[in-house]
Amino acid sequence: MNKTLITILMFALLLLFIISPFAALAGLMLVVLVSAFFFLVGNLFQAIIGGDTNPKGS
């Protein structure tokens, strides 16, 4: 669950960086935003279905 919350926080920060009026490299940030969105959806889906977030099992 912590992994999901951290991913949501990072996604929100990425949105703030893109919306920022002083955003240099906005095109690169859009690519990062798309990849972060896919990680967010994956982590949310894993949290909803109750999958094991620690693959090593410890």
Side-chain angles (χ1 to χ4, degrees), residues 25-44:
L25 303 172
L28 180 62
M29 289 302 291
L30 287 174
V31 173
V32 173
L33 179 70
V34 170
S35 64
F37 178 73
F38 284 121
F39 278 113
L40 175 68
V41 169
N43 285 336
L44 285 176

Side-chain angles (χ1 to χ4, degrees), residues 13-28:
L13 288 174
L14 280 172
L15 282 175
L16 287 176
F17 284 139
I18 290 174
I19 295 171
S20 164
F22 301 109
L25 303 172
L28 180 62

Side-chain angles (χ1 to χ4, degrees), residues 44-55:
L44 285 176
F45 183 70
Q46 191 173 26
I48 289 171
I49 63 171
D52 186 15
T53 57
N54 189 358

